[in-house]
Amino acid sequence: MVQRIVDAGQAVLIEHGYDGASTNRIAEAAGISPGSLYQYFPGKDAIVTAVIDRYNSEVASRVHSSVLAQLHQPPETAVPATISALLEALGSHPALLRAVIEQTPRLSGDNTVFAFEQQIGELARVALTMHRASLPDDVDFEAASWMLVRAVEHLAIRYVLDQPAVSRERFLADITRLVLNYFRPAPGPPPAKTPTHDRSRAKRE
């Protein structure tokens, strides 16, 4: 019954948005009376929170599995594979993603998002540490993992929702290039410039 109510809550949230998602509508979609609904959930916010938590958990599980599977691969392979998994997870329910991101006020579902970001951030930090030898000496692993996870997450969400005139291949290539900059060695100092008069003398000689 709980699953049935959450399924109904998801359908109502997508169709009517948060403001229009009343317990009466959810009960009707679930095929039960409002009184029966209240035996399982105290109100609309509890149902919407359950919808958000379930969706976030599904996305987190798919991305977490991809990150673990790619952890020992070189960044050039692991990064696009993981971001591709994130795009597929977010894109599996774009209408629900839009309802969650754009229509739903901050509820306790944010705890699931925070836990997801913490888990993936820790895996990103581990990946950066594993490739320490190829990283610039001044990279802060904690700061880099925090920024990378949130930058990729935000860009992926906006790509799914905004549907820009950018092919998936181009988006994946460009965001991969952005992330891989953390794995590239710091550029060396620029070569010393030869004074103009010295260059002229060298040409004459």
Side-chain angles (χ1 to χ4, degrees):
M1 181 59 72
V2 170
Q3 177 77 23
R4 184 173 170 181
I5 295 172
V6 174
D7 288 343
Q10 177 175 313
V12 171
L13 179 63
I14 291 172
E15 182 177 356
H16 298 283
Y18 176 81
D19 292 336
S22 66
T23 51
N24 286 340
R25 276 181 169 157
I26 295 173
E28 182 181 0
I32 60 176
S33 67
S36 296
L37 181 148
Y38 285 117
Q39 293 179 15
Y40 297 91
F41 291 94
K44 177 180 78 172
D45 281 358
I47 300 172
V48 173
T49 296
V51 171
I52 295 172
D53 283 345
R54 183 176 68 176
Y55 174 68
N56 287 336
S57 295
E58 290 173 355
V59 173
S61 177
R62 292 174 65 173
V63 176
H64 193 271
S65 296
S66 177
V67 172
L68 286 178
Q70 299 292 330
L71 197 57
H72 295 282
Q73 298 296 321
E76 293 78 9
T77 301
V79 170
T82 300
I83 298 175
S84 181
L86 175 60
L87 287 177
E88 291 174 4
L90 293 174
S92 61
H93 295 291
L96 178 57
L97 175 63
R98 186 176 299 280
V100 169
I101 296 297
E102 297 182 349
Q103 300 180 30
T104 306
R106 290 184 172 273
L107 300 172
S108 62
D110 277 353
N111 294 331
T112 310
V113 176
F114 178 75
F116 163 66
E117 291 174 342
Q118 290 291 98
Q119 292 174 18
I120 303 303
E122 177 61 21
L123 289 174
R125 188 189 64 77
V126 170
L128 289 169
T129 304
M130 291 172 61
H131 297 278
R132 179 191 301 270
S134 63
L135 292 172
D137 294 335
D138 61 347
V139 169
D140 183 322
F141 294 155
E142 294 293 338
S145 61
W146 186 91
M147 287 188 286
L148 286 174
V149 168
R150 284 151 185 82
V152 169
E153 178 186 35
H154 177 75
L155 288 172
I157 287 173
R158 293 323 312 175
Y159 181 76
V160 171
L161 295 183
D162 297 346
Q163 297 185 355
V166 178
S167 69
R168 190 176 187 275
E169 292 73 20
R170 171 49 55 194
F171 174 81
L172 194 57
D174 286 349
I175 195 172
T176 297
R177 184 180 299 115
L178 183 153
V179 173
L180 288 182
N181 280 330
Y182 271 100
F183 293 88
R184 304 198 189 288
K193 293 184 177 180
T194 304
T196 304
H197 65 276
D198 288 347
R199 290 200 300 268
S200 299
R201 181 189 305 168
K203 288 181 179 179
R204 291 196 301 269
E205 294 175 351

